[in-house]
Structures are given as C-alpha cells and as structure tokens.
C-alpha cells in the first residue's frame, strides 16, 4: 500500500484527535504515520495491556471486544488507540482484524518526539482531547438522567 500524500493527510484530518491541526501540522504527523498491512485474525490491541500505538483504518474491518463480548466493529476511516499516544493507561478493549487491513500506525515514541519538535501541535491535540472528554461527560450525564 502506498497512499497519496493528500489521501493520507485527509485520513489523519478526519480523526478528532487531529481535527484542529493545520495542513502543515498534518504533514508532519503523516511523516511519522507508518503504512502497514495486517492479516485477518491478528489482534492489534489487547484489553488490559499498555498501549503504544494509534491506528487509522485505511481499508478493511476490525472487531471490538470488551470483557470478551463483541461491542462493535470499525471500518475504513475509523480509528482506535488514540489515548495510547498520550497515556500509559491500559487498553479498554481488544481489537482484532476481521478482514485483511491496511492501516496507518503512529507510535507513542514517535508522536512524543514530534510534540517535542512541534509543541504547537500539542496544544491542538490537547484541545481536541478536552473537547472529547467534555462530550463524553455530557453523554454520561444525559444517560444517567435517562436511566433514573
């Protein structure tokens, strides 16, 4: 697989983590995003283990399981593992390739090194994470009200 530069930038821009990044920022992130082929059946992340990578699906599908139960699936354009770039928290789910995949992979080591060289990206990513947490908390409050 070899993505065209613009296709890679567009795919990265579509992830909420990088939504506030400029085209220049995205180009820098794209330089550390490795294009990887994955065979069907391979476990990409395992629940409870420390994460070290963030994945963006270019083609194919994955299955997501929590505590052994299937909770969903993801396809092209989806992403998972983004918190591993900034946190040492254990993975919250197991993700397995349902079909052969093409993915972009960013490791925590490369991402932190990029943030050291380009701290302006850190601010944009932090804002995106804060917005996500705010949205998650709002959904939880709404769900709590609905179940009482």
């Amino acid at each position: 697989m070899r993505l065209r530069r613009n296709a890679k930038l567009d795919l990265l821009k579509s992830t909420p983590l990088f939504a506030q990044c400029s085209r220049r920022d995205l180009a820098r992130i794209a330089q550390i995003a490795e294009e990887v082929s994955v065979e069907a059946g391979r476990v990409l992340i395992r629940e409870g283990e420390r994460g070290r990578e963030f994945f963006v699906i270019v083609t194919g599908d994955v299955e997501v399981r929590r505590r052994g139960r299937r909770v969903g699936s993801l396809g092209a354009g989806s992403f998972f593992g983004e918190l591993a770039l900034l946190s040492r928290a254990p993975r919250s789910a197991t993700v397995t390739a349902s079909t052969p995949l093409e993915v972009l992979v960013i490791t925590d080591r490369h991402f932190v090194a990029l943030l050291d060289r380009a701290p302006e990206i850190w601010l944009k990513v932090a804002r995106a994470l804060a917005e996500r947490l705010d949205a998650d908390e709002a959904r939880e409050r709404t769900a709590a009200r609905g179940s009482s």
Side-chain angles (χ1 to χ4, degrees), residues 1 5 7 26 31-32 34 41-42 49 61 68 81 95 112-113 119 128 131 141 144:
M1 161 183 79
R5 181 178 187 270
L26 292 168
Q31 289 176 338
I32 63 168
E34 184 179 354
R42 179 172 165 205
E49 292 182 358
D61 297 294
V95 177
V112 169
E131 287 175 8
R141 283 192 303 272

Coordinates of all heavy atoms in Angstrom, one line a residue, residues 1 5 7 26 31-32 34 41-42 49 61 68 81 95 112-113 119 128 131 141 144:
M1 N 0.9 -1.2 0.0 CA 0.0 0.0 0.0 C 0.9 1.2 0.0 O 1.9 1.3 0.7 CB -0.9 0.0 1.3 CG -1.5 1.3 1.6 SD -2.4 1.3 3.2 CE -1.2 1.4 4.4
R5 N -0.1 11.5 -0.8 CA 0.1 12.4 0.3 C -1.2 13.0 0.8 O -1.5 13.1 1.9 CB 1.1 13.5 -0.1 CG 1.4 14.5 1.0 CD 2.4 15.5 0.5 NE 2.9 16.3 1.6 CZ 2.3 17.5 1.9 NH1 1.2 17.9 1.2 NH2 2.7 18.2 2.9
A7 N -4.3 12.0 0.4 CA -5.2 11.0 0.9 C -4.8 10.7 2.4 O -5.6 10.6 3.3 CB -5.2 9.7 0.1
L26 N -0.5 18.4 9.9 CA -0.9 17.1 9.4 C 0.2 16.5 8.6 O 0.5 15.3 8.6 CB -2.2 17.2 8.6 CG -3.4 17.5 9.4 CD1 -4.6 17.8 8.4 CD2 -3.8 16.4 10.3
Q31 N 4.3 12.2 8.3 CA 5.7 11.6 8.2 C 6.0 10.5 9.2 O 6.8 9.7 9.0 CB 6.7 12.8 8.4 CG 6.7 13.7 7.2 CD 7.7 14.9 7.4 OE1 8.0 15.2 8.6 NE2 8.1 15.5 6.4
I32 N 5.3 10.5 10.4 CA 5.6 9.5 11.4 C 4.5 8.4 11.3 O 4.6 7.4 12.1 CB 5.7 10.1 12.8 CG1 4.4 10.7 13.2 CG2 6.8 11.1 12.9 CD1 4.3 11.1 14.7
E34 N 3.1 5.3 9.9 CA 3.6 4.2 9.0 C 2.4 3.4 8.4 O 1.4 3.2 9.1 CB 4.4 3.2 9.9 CG 5.0 2.0 9.1 CD 5.8 1.1 10.0 OE1 6.0 1.4 11.2 OE2 6.3 0.1 9.5
G41 N -7.5 -11.8 11.4 CA -7.3 -12.6 12.6 C -6.3 -12.1 13.6 O -6.2 -12.5 14.7
R42 N -5.5 -11.1 13.1 CA -4.4 -10.6 14.0 C -5.0 -9.6 15.0 O -5.8 -8.8 14.7 CB -3.4 -9.9 13.2 CG -2.3 -9.3 14.0 CD -1.2 -8.7 13.2 NE -0.3 -7.9 14.0 CZ 0.4 -6.9 13.6 NH1 0.4 -6.6 12.3 NH2 1.1 -6.2 14.4
E49 N -3.8 -4.4 28.3 CA -2.3 -4.2 28.1 C -2.1 -2.7 27.9 O -3.0 -2.0 27.5 CB -1.9 -5.0 26.9 CG -1.9 -6.5 27.1 CD -1.4 -7.3 25.9 OE1 -1.0 -6.6 24.8 OE2 -1.3 -8.5 26.0
D61 N -11.8 -4.2 8.0 CA -12.7 -4.1 9.2 C -12.0 -4.8 10.4 O -11.3 -5.7 10.2 CB -14.0 -4.8 8.9 CG -14.8 -4.1 7.8 OD1 -15.2 -3.0 7.9 OD2 -15.0 -4.8 6.7
G68 N -14.5 -9.8 26.6 CA -14.8 -11.0 25.8 C -16.1 -10.8 25.0 O -16.4 -11.7 24.1
G81 N -7.2 3.6 19.6 CA -6.0 3.6 20.3 C -5.4 4.9 20.5 O -4.2 5.0 20.9
V95 N -9.0 -5.3 20.0 CA -9.4 -5.1 18.6 C -8.6 -6.1 17.7 O -7.4 -6.2 17.8 CB -9.0 -3.6 18.2 CG1 -9.4 -3.4 16.7 CG2 -9.8 -2.6 19.1
V112 N 5.5 11.5 20.6 CA 6.1 12.4 21.7 C 7.3 13.1 21.1 O 7.5 14.3 21.4 CB 6.4 11.6 22.9 CG1 7.2 12.4 23.9 CG2 5.1 11.1 23.6
A113 N 8.1 12.5 20.3 CA 9.3 13.1 19.7 C 8.8 14.3 18.8 O 9.4 15.4 18.8 CB 10.1 12.1 18.9
P119 N 5.7 21.9 19.5 CA 4.8 22.0 20.6 C 3.4 22.6 20.2 O 2.5 22.4 20.9 CB 5.5 22.8 21.6 CG 6.7 23.4 20.9 CD 7.0 22.6 19.7
A128 N -8.4 19.1 21.4 CA -9.3 18.1 20.9 C -9.6 17.1 21.9 O -10.8 16.6 22.0 CB -8.6 17.4 19.7
E131 N -12.2 18.6 24.4 CA -13.5 18.6 23.8 C -14.1 17.2 23.8 O -15.3 17.1 24.1 CB -13.4 19.1 22.4 CG -13.2 20.6 22.3 CD -13.0 21.1 20.9 OE1 -13.2 20.4 19.9 OE2 -12.6 22.3 20.8
R141 N -23.9 12.2 31.6 CA -24.9 12.9 32.4 C -26.3 12.6 31.8 O -27.3 12.4 32.5 CB -24.6 14.3 32.4 CG -23.5 14.7 33.4 CD -23.4 16.2 33.7 NE -23.2 17.0 32.5 CZ -22.0 17.3 32.0 NH1 -20.9 16.9 32.5 NH2 -22.0 18.0 30.9
A144 N -27.4 9.1 32.4 CA -27.7 8.9 33.8 C -29.1 9.4 34.1 O -29.9 8.8 34.9 CB -26.7 9.6 34.7

